[in-house]
Short mmCIF file of all heavy atoms in Angstrom, two decimals:
data_model
loop_
_atom_site.label_atom_id
_atom_site.label_comp_id
_atom_site.label_asym_id
_atom_site.label_seq_id
_atom_site.Cartn_x
_atom_site.Cartn_y
_atom_site.Cartn_z
N VAL A 158 46.98 16.57 -18.30
CA VAL A 158 45.82 15.68 -18.30
C VAL A 158 45.00 15.87 -19.57
O VAL A 158 44.52 14.90 -20.19
CB VAL A 158 44.97 15.90 -17.05
CG1 VAL A 158 43.65 15.15 -17.15
CG2 VAL A 158 45.73 15.46 -15.80
N ALA A 159 44.80 17.12 -19.99
CA ALA A 159 44.05 17.40 -21.23
C ALA A 159 44.71 16.73 -22.41
O ALA A 159 44.04 16.16 -23.28
CB ALA A 159 43.94 18.91 -21.45
N SER A 160 46.05 16.78 -22.45
CA SER A 160 46.78 16.14 -23.55
C SER A 160 46.60 14.63 -23.53
O SER A 160 46.43 13.99 -24.58
CB SER A 160 48.26 16.50 -23.47
OG SER A 160 49.00 15.87 -24.49
N VAL A 161 46.63 14.04 -22.32
CA VAL A 161 46.42 12.60 -22.19
C VAL A 161 45.03 12.20 -22.68
O VAL A 161 44.85 11.22 -23.41
CB VAL A 161 46.64 12.16 -20.73
CG1 VAL A 161 46.06 10.76 -20.49
CG2 VAL A 161 48.10 12.20 -20.36
N LEU A 162 44.02 12.97 -22.27
CA LEU A 162 42.65 12.66 -22.68
C LEU A 162 42.50 12.78 -24.21
O LEU A 162 41.81 11.97 -24.84
CB LEU A 162 41.66 13.59 -21.99
CG LEU A 162 41.59 13.46 -20.45
CD1 LEU A 162 40.60 14.47 -19.89
CD2 LEU A 162 41.19 12.05 -20.04
N GLN A 163 43.14 13.76 -24.78
CA GLN A 163 43.07 13.94 -26.23
C GLN A 163 43.76 12.77 -26.94
O GLN A 163 43.26 12.28 -27.97
CB GLN A 163 43.72 15.27 -26.62
CG GLN A 163 43.46 15.69 -28.07
CD GLN A 163 42.01 16.11 -28.29
OE1 GLN A 163 41.48 16.95 -27.58
NE2 GLN A 163 41.37 15.48 -29.27
N ASP A 164 44.87 12.33 -26.39
CA ASP A 164 45.60 11.22 -27.02
C ASP A 164 44.86 9.89 -26.88
O ASP A 164 45.10 8.96 -27.66
CB ASP A 164 46.99 11.09 -26.40
CG ASP A 164 47.89 12.28 -26.75
OD1 ASP A 164 47.55 12.97 -27.75
OD2 ASP A 164 48.87 12.51 -26.04
N SER A 165 43.99 9.80 -25.91
CA SER A 165 43.28 8.54 -25.70
C SER A 165 42.19 8.32 -26.74
O SER A 165 41.69 7.19 -26.88
CB SER A 165 42.67 8.52 -24.29
OG SER A 165 41.63 9.49 -24.19
N LEU A 166 41.80 9.33 -27.44
CA LEU A 166 40.75 9.22 -28.46
C LEU A 166 41.37 8.86 -29.80
O LEU A 166 42.36 9.47 -30.22
CB LEU A 166 39.97 10.54 -28.59
CG LEU A 166 39.32 11.06 -27.30
CD1 LEU A 166 38.57 12.34 -27.58
CD2 LEU A 166 38.40 10.01 -26.70
N GLN A 167 40.82 7.89 -30.44
CA GLN A 167 41.39 7.40 -31.70
C GLN A 167 40.44 7.57 -32.89
O GLN A 167 40.76 7.16 -33.99
CB GLN A 167 41.76 5.91 -31.54
CG GLN A 167 42.81 5.67 -30.47
CD GLN A 167 43.11 4.19 -30.28
OE1 GLN A 167 42.31 3.34 -30.64
NE2 GLN A 167 44.26 3.90 -29.70
N ARG A 168 39.27 8.15 -32.66
CA ARG A 168 38.32 8.35 -33.75
C ARG A 168 38.00 9.84 -33.90
O ARG A 168 38.00 10.59 -32.91
CB ARG A 168 37.03 7.57 -33.49
CG ARG A 168 37.23 6.07 -33.38
CD ARG A 168 35.90 5.38 -33.24
NE ARG A 168 35.08 6.01 -32.20
CZ ARG A 168 33.77 5.80 -32.08
NH1 ARG A 168 33.15 5.00 -32.92
NH2 ARG A 168 33.11 6.40 -31.12
N GLU A 169 37.69 10.23 -35.12
CA GLU A 169 37.48 11.66 -35.40
C GLU A 169 36.23 12.20 -34.73
O GLU A 169 36.17 13.36 -34.32
CB GLU A 169 37.39 11.86 -36.92
CG GLU A 169 37.28 13.33 -37.34
CD GLU A 169 37.26 13.48 -38.84
OE1 GLU A 169 37.49 12.47 -39.55
OE2 GLU A 169 37.02 14.61 -39.31
N GLY A 170 35.19 11.40 -34.60
CA GLY A 170 33.93 11.89 -34.05
C GLY A 170 33.91 12.03 -32.55
O GLY A 170 32.97 12.62 -31.99
N ASP A 171 34.92 11.52 -31.84
CA ASP A 171 34.95 11.60 -30.38
C ASP A 171 35.43 12.98 -29.95
O ASP A 171 36.30 13.58 -30.58
CB ASP A 171 35.86 10.53 -29.81
CG ASP A 171 35.35 9.12 -30.13
OD1 ASP A 171 34.14 8.99 -30.39
OD2 ASP A 171 36.17 8.18 -30.16
N VAL A 172 34.87 13.47 -28.85
CA VAL A 172 35.15 14.84 -28.40
C VAL A 172 35.48 14.81 -26.91
O VAL A 172 34.76 14.16 -26.12
CB VAL A 172 33.94 15.76 -28.65
CG1 VAL A 172 34.21 17.16 -28.08
CG2 VAL A 172 33.63 15.85 -30.13
N VAL A 173 36.54 15.55 -26.53
CA VAL A 173 36.89 15.71 -25.13
C VAL A 173 36.77 17.19 -24.77
O VAL A 173 37.19 18.06 -25.53
CB VAL A 173 38.31 15.18 -24.82
CG1 VAL A 173 39.35 15.85 -25.68
CG2 VAL A 173 38.65 15.36 -23.33
N CYS A 174 36.17 17.49 -23.61
CA CYS A 174 35.93 18.88 -23.20
C CYS A 174 36.37 19.06 -21.74
O CYS A 174 36.39 18.11 -20.95
CB CYS A 174 34.43 19.23 -23.31
SG CYS A 174 33.68 18.88 -24.90
N ARG A 175 36.71 20.28 -21.42
CA ARG A 175 36.92 20.62 -20.02
C ARG A 175 35.58 21.04 -19.45
O ARG A 175 35.03 22.09 -19.80
CB ARG A 175 37.94 21.75 -19.88
CG ARG A 175 38.28 22.02 -18.41
CD ARG A 175 39.24 23.17 -18.25
NE ARG A 175 39.54 23.40 -16.85
CZ ARG A 175 40.19 24.46 -16.37
NH1 ARG A 175 40.63 25.39 -17.23
NH2 ARG A 175 40.42 24.59 -15.08
N TYR A 176 35.06 20.22 -18.56
CA TYR A 176 33.71 20.41 -18.05
C TYR A 176 33.68 21.51 -16.98
O TYR A 176 32.67 22.22 -16.84
CB TYR A 176 33.18 19.10 -17.48
CG TYR A 176 31.69 19.08 -17.26
CD1 TYR A 176 30.82 19.00 -18.33
CD2 TYR A 176 31.17 19.12 -15.97
CE1 TYR A 176 29.45 18.98 -18.13
CE2 TYR A 176 29.80 19.10 -15.75
CZ TYR A 176 28.94 19.03 -16.84
OH TYR A 176 27.59 19.00 -16.63
N GLY A 177 34.74 21.67 -16.27
CA GLY A 177 34.81 22.70 -15.24
C GLY A 177 35.82 22.34 -14.18
O GLY A 177 35.87 21.19 -13.71
N GLY A 178 36.68 23.30 -13.76
CA GLY A 178 37.68 23.03 -12.73
C GLY A 178 38.62 21.93 -13.16
O GLY A 178 39.28 22.02 -14.20
N GLU A 179 38.69 20.83 -12.33
CA GLU A 179 39.57 19.70 -12.67
C GLU A 179 38.77 18.55 -13.29
O GLU A 179 39.24 17.43 -13.37
CB GLU A 179 40.29 19.20 -11.42
CG GLU A 179 39.42 18.53 -10.39
CD GLU A 179 38.80 19.52 -9.40
OE1 GLU A 179 38.74 20.74 -9.70
OE2 GLU A 179 38.38 19.09 -8.32
N GLU A 180 37.55 18.83 -13.77
CA GLU A 180 36.68 17.80 -14.31
C GLU A 180 36.62 17.92 -15.84
O GLU A 180 36.52 19.02 -16.39
CB GLU A 180 35.28 17.91 -13.71
CG GLU A 180 34.39 16.72 -14.05
CD GLU A 180 33.07 16.79 -13.30
OE1 GLU A 180 32.86 17.75 -12.52
OE2 GLU A 180 32.24 15.87 -13.48
N PHE A 181 36.64 16.76 -16.50
CA PHE A 181 36.60 16.70 -17.97
C PHE A 181 35.48 15.75 -18.40
O PHE A 181 35.02 14.91 -17.60
CB PHE A 181 37.94 16.19 -18.53
CG PHE A 181 39.11 17.07 -18.16
CD1 PHE A 181 39.79 16.88 -16.94
CD2 PHE A 181 39.55 18.06 -19.02
CE1 PHE A 181 40.86 17.68 -16.60
CE2 PHE A 181 40.62 18.85 -18.67
CZ PHE A 181 41.28 18.67 -17.47
#
């Protein structure tokens, strides 16, 4: 899922984080 979320971002300034447990 982390890989999918990272691939969904197409701009350099966007950031994906693991917020806690199974939440991002």
